[in-house]
Amino acid sequence: MTAAEVKETAAPEATGNAPIIEIRDLNKWYDDFHVLTDVNLIVNRGERIVICGPSGSGKSTLIRCINRLEKHQKGDIVVMGLELTEDTKDVSLIRQEVGMVFQSFNLFPHLTILQNLTLAPIWIRKMSQREAEKIAWKYLKRVNIAEHALKFPSQLSGGQQQRAAIARSLCMQPKIMLFDEPTSALDPEMVNEVLDVMVTLAEEGMTMLCVTHEMGFARRVADQVIFMDEGKIVESQSPDKFFSEPENERTRQFLKQIHAIS
Amino acid sequence: MNKKLLEQLKKIRQDYFNSPGNAILSLLMLFLLVKVGIWFISWAFINAVWTGENNEAARPGGATWAFIIKKIRFFLFGFYPKEHIWRIIVTVALMGASFVPYFMKRIHHKVLVFIAHMIIWPLIIGFFLAGGIGLEQVSTNNWGGLSLTFILSALGLLYSFPIGILLALGRRSEQPVIRILSTVYIECFRGIPLITILFMSSVVVPFFLPSGVAIDKIIRVVIGMTFFQSAYLAEVIRGGLQAVPKGQYEAADSLGFKFGLQQYLVIMPQVLKITIANIGGISISFIKDTTLVLIIGMFDLLGIVKPLASDSNWLGMEPEGLIFAGLVYWGICFAISRLTYKIEVKANTLPAAGVKA
């Protein structure tokens, strides 16, 4: 699959007004454990969604279903017009368009930061090394770690590694970015440097789904804040409403706990 | 007397002479060590004979290294005809030269170089050593000595690596058929002694071949050894695979890598790095295992000692021959051990795989 073909596949979506992600009646089980129950979610192009909720509420599982790191058992997930099914070809096509940032960074330890960034563009987008490096440097500068480009991941701090991981995803020039608790594994003083990068990204109009408890971030960039509990979307609101007058009792309790901590 | 020496003496007294019993034991061991040492040095060097035409040159209480020197051609090249020995040298040189591409920075697809090796090496060996096309044919019965050891080790390791990697991946596959087949293969070949496999390859396999079809003994031995070694390597590599965190797979998945490229670019480099020491160790034991071919009548470096010492001019020269063969094996294995260590150190100056979440 060449880069041109990928673009062609994605092209009809790029101009349309259809939602970029549609999730309908999503259900997922781990053996007998019902992780996600009847989840419905529509994400439009350029929309920023923050998902929060207590641990075990299924929020990470939900976004991992969007690039099929997790398989769902019932319901439909349509990403950029392609439905996620057992067909692996579609899955890797979608993964190329959906960037993901993990809690534990997951940089490739045997490669330098620069190589981490160029690996997928070279091998999957079939870019030349020069072209891939050009893009890589652009994003390295954007996330402010250009001076560490030739180091290995383990030589960087957590915050630097997470910024590198964000840059690695961006090098594939994705249409959607998924963030799975990107700041949870970081020392407190490094949280902001990562959030700043995410805010910039949001301001540039990237479609983003972030699982995070950084409520300041949610307030600042989110179009929609979703609260999940026990595998269900309990509440979905604009940030203003979500923080000032949450409708659901469980949301109120959760917010109270969060505020008690921070 | 300086202070350091005094402290060492004190430590020796504490460790070896701290009771009358221990003191006697220590002195006895020291005496034995010195005695054996002196005997060996006088046998191997002082009383040794370095020149001579036959075993009449031998001196009591001394090694007859003249035997090794006179027979060195056979130790190196077996019973390969003297006028064709250049062919062995060319073969070994070409096989060595084929490693050059791995050290070239410009070549990115080293896996292709490896596949080329798997095709080119047998061709080189077939063309130069076996002959038949353009060169006079030399029966594999005449192959022997260190060059046979080298060829068996090189081919065995060459083929068992890729097969071992595939088996390791197969054993972790989500496809039940592949997983079960790989597991059965690994457990079968790990459960059978190499000698049995070699016997089967030399005695049983020809029995089942249709008449008129003959597969050369060398090929059968290499195949048998590959079966055996790949099963062992598979387990070493599987251990390495288990050490790569799940997040590495997920990160590669999320960038759009499919299985093959994911393994090649992300997982295997980390696995091989984790397993360098084990792979080095297993390579050493494979090389030593090639000596078992003497059981099926092949004269590798070890196997050739006996026929050479049966030469009526050199009767009774087995000790010299065996010690020489042992030294050569030790030298080869020590070199590999050092090489592995160097690679490991070099790899560890880069960050370790998988650490730091």
Side-chain angles (χ1 to χ4, degrees):
Chain A
M1 179 71 52
T2 65
E5 278 174 82
V6 172
K7 283 223 176 73
E8 236 167 65
T9 325
E13 282 308 299
T15 48
N17 279 328
I20 198 162
I21 301 170
E22 286 174 82
I23 297 173
R24 282 187 297 267
D25 297 325
L26 177 68
N27 278 274
K28 179 174 172 59
W29 288 264
Y30 287 127
D31 296 323
D32 286 340
F33 181 59
H34 204 162
V35 232
L36 294 173
T37 312
D38 296 329
V39 172
N40 284 285
L41 178 65
I42 303 281
V43 183
N44 291 310
R45 193 168 297 277
E47 211 173 354
R48 277 95 58 181
I49 295 181
V50 167
I51 304 170
C52 58
S55 69
S57 59
K59 51 197 192 307
S60 286
T61 311
L62 173 62
I63 69 163
R64 287 161 62 89
C65 281
I66 293 171
N67 68 351
R68 211 168 165 75
L69 285 181
E70 302 282 352
K71 290 178 182 168
H72 58 280
Q73 279 83 35
K74 230 179 97 189
D76 304 318
I77 305 177
V78 181
V79 180
M80 299 176 64
L82 288 172
E83 189 175 348
L84 294 187
T85 56
E86 288 296 330
D87 188 343
T88 48
K89 204 179 156 193
D90 280 0
V91 169
S92 76
L93 271 182
I94 287 183
R95 283 173 176 166
Q96 292 172 30
E97 305 298 329
V98 181
M100 178 134 192
V101 176
F102 299 88
Q103 182 178 349
S104 52
F105 330 138
N106 295 342
L107 290 168
F108 304 134
H110 60 297
L111 301 175
T112 63
I113 298 301
L114 185 63
Q115 288 169 328
N116 262 279
L117 267 65
T118 57
L119 193 72
I122 289 175
W123 288 86
I124 292 175
R125 291 270 194 249
K126 306 288 180 199
M127 282 184 197
S128 70
Q129 189 172 345
R130 253 185 80 183
E131 202 182 343
E133 282 183 358
K134 208 174 119 194
I135 294 171
W137 281 111
K138 183 177 108 187
Y139 286 112
L140 283 170
K141 280 177 196 143
R142 171 99 60 95
V143 302
N144 218 0
I145 49 166
E147 71 269 30
H148 303 300
L150 302 179
K151 290 186 185 166
F152 286 90
S154 62
Q155 294 167 292
L156 268 56
S157 73
Q160 291 165 336
Q161 287 193 55
Q162 192 60 296
R163 284 183 282 146
I166 294 172
R168 176 175 70 179
S169 288
L170 292 176
C171 281
M172 285 294 279
Q173 296 170 315
K175 307 288 186 300
I176 304 166
M177 284 290 284
L178 308 174
F179 292 85
D180 187 3
E181 306 205 30
T183 55
S184 303
L186 295 175
D187 293 335
E189 73 271 21
M190 293 170 182
V191 168
N192 278 331
E193 62 190 58
V194 172
L195 288 180
D196 285 346
V197 169
M198 290 168 66
V199 169
T200 318
L201 201 57
E203 284 165 356
E204 285 165 6
M206 175 66 77
T207 309
M208 291 164 71
L209 277 89
C210 314
V211 171
T212 181
H213 290 162
E214 296 295 335
M215 290 302 129
F217 172 78
R219 216 185 279 269
R220 215 171 134 190
V221 305
D223 295 314
Q224 197 182 345
V225 181
I226 289 173
F227 174 70
M228 285 184 76
D229 193 20
E230 292 175 349
K232 296 187 190 104
I233 293 183
V234 173
E235 185 154 0
S236 172
Q237 294 283 11
S238 71
D240 280 350
K241 239 181 146 197
F242 184 87
F243 291 112
S244 56
E245 39 187 317
E247 282 170 3
N248 195 288
E249 176 54 31
R250 276 186 284 177
T251 317
R252 275 195 287 271
Q253 287 218 322
F254 175 75
L255 286 173
K256 224 185 261 169
Q257 282 167 343
I258 291 261
H259 285 302
I261 298 163
S262 55
Chain B
M1 218 189 283
N2 67 37
K3 207 174 158 198
K4 213 174 165 188
L5 192 66
L6 264 176
E7 281 207 344
Q8 271 173 351
L9 280 175
K10 201 172 154 198
K11 189 158 168 35
I12 287 172
R13 206 183 70 187
Q14 273 176 358
D15 291 351
Y16 302 102
F17 297 94
N18 53 359
S19 72
N22 271 353
I24 292 169
L25 212 58
S26 298
L27 283 175
L28 195 70
M29 291 309 291
L30 187 68
F31 172 74
L32 281 175
L33 266 176
V34 170
K35 185 97 179 151
V36 171
I38 288 173
W39 175 83
F40 183 78
I41 287 168
S42 68
W43 180 81
F45 299 104
I46 298 168
N47 291 330
V49 179
W50 297 87
T51 53
E53 291 305 315
N54 54 41
N55 56 3
E56 278 162 27
R59 230 184 293 165
T64 316
W65 298 125
F67 165 67
I68 307 293
I69 293 165
K70 280 280 158 197
K71 298 284 188 191
I72 191 71
R73 163 161 91 81
F74 299 98
F75 279 111
L76 293 180
F77 307 117
F79 299 110
Y80 210 81
K82 196 174 183 181
E83 64 276 19
H84 289 300
I85 280 173
W86 65 269
R87 286 159 57 176
I88 298 184
I89 295 166
V90 168
T91 306
V92 173
L94 283 177
M95 285 167 81
S98 64
F99 279 102
V100 171
Y102 290 109
F103 297 99
M104 285 161 60
K105 275 228 165 80
R106 294 227 315 274
I107 293 177
H108 293 297
H109 299 273
K110 296 204 164 128
V111 76
L112 296 181
V113 179
F114 191 87
I115 291 169
H117 262 160
M118 292 170 60
I119 299 161
I120 290 169
W121 276 13
L123 292 181
I124 294 175
I125 292 168
F127 180 77
F128 283 104
L129 278 195
I133 307 163
L135 290 167
E136 194 186 317
Q137 197 163 357
V138 176
S139 160
T140 52
N141 288 333
N142 292 337
W143 299 15
L146 183 61
S147 52
L148 180 65
T149 300
F150 174 77
I151 283 164
L152 290 177
S153 311
L155 289 179
L157 286 171
L158 177 74
Y159 292 114
S160 48
F161 260 95
I163 297 174
I165 289 174
L166 291 180
L167 285 170
L169 292 175
R171 197 166 182 173
R172 285 166 57 94
S173 169
E174 283 169 15
Q175 306 279 336
V177 179
I178 296 176
R179 188 174 62 240
I180 290 167
L181 284 178
S182 308
T183 309
V184 167
Y185 177 106
I186 292 169
E187 293 306 335
C188 277
F189 282 102
R190 283 195 338 145
I192 304 173
L194 181 56
I195 289 201
T196 315
I197 295 173
L198 292 178
F199 264 131
M200 301 253 283
S201 76
S202 81
V203 181
V204 183
V205 171
F207 191 72
F208 285 107
L209 287 176
S211 61
V213 178
I215 301 175
D216 195 274
K217 191 151 76 173
I218 296 261
I219 297 173
R220 281 182 273 131
V221 164
V222 168
I223 291 173
M225 289 190 359
T226 304
F227 278 146
F228 180 79
Q229 293 169 353
S230 55
Y232 272 88
L233 269 170
E235 286 299 276
V236 169
I237 288 163
R238 190 168 69 101
L241 278 170
Q242 273 161 347
V244 176
K246 198 170 143 229
Q248 293 291 311
Y249 292 88
E250 290 182 347
D253 278 340
S254 72
L255 289 167
F257 284 108
K258 290 184 204 168
F259 181 79
L261 274 182
Q262 181 179 67
Q263 287 295 331
Y264 175 50
L265 296 169
V266 177
I267 307 300
M268 275 306 149
Q270 299 185 46
V271 167
L272 294 179
K273 196 169 137 182
I274 299 168
T275 52
I276 291 169
N278 281 332
I279 286 175
I282 223 168
S283 306
I284 287 175
S285 51
F286 290 164
I287 289 169
K288 292 190 295 186
D289 281 351
T290 60
T291 53
L292 289 172
V293 296
L294 82 89
I295 304 265
I296 55 168
M298 289 170 87
F299 301 116
D300 71 326
L301 180 59
L302 182 66
I304 205 157
V305 171
K306 209 173 167 145
L308 291 183
S310 316
D311 182 339
S312 56
N313 284 327
W314 295 102
L315 286 174
M317 290 296 152
E318 270 108 343
E320 284 84 350
L322 290 173
I323 286 173
F324 175 71
L327 274 176
V328 174
Y329 279 113
W330 179 82
I332 294 169
C333 294
F334 184 68
I336 290 175
S337 168
R338 297 302 304 171
L339 185 71
T340 316
Y341 180 72
K342 276 203 164 159
I343 297 174
E344 214 185 338
V345 168
K346 198 179 164 199
N348 282 340
T349 54
L350 311 177
V355 293
K356 264 208 163 179

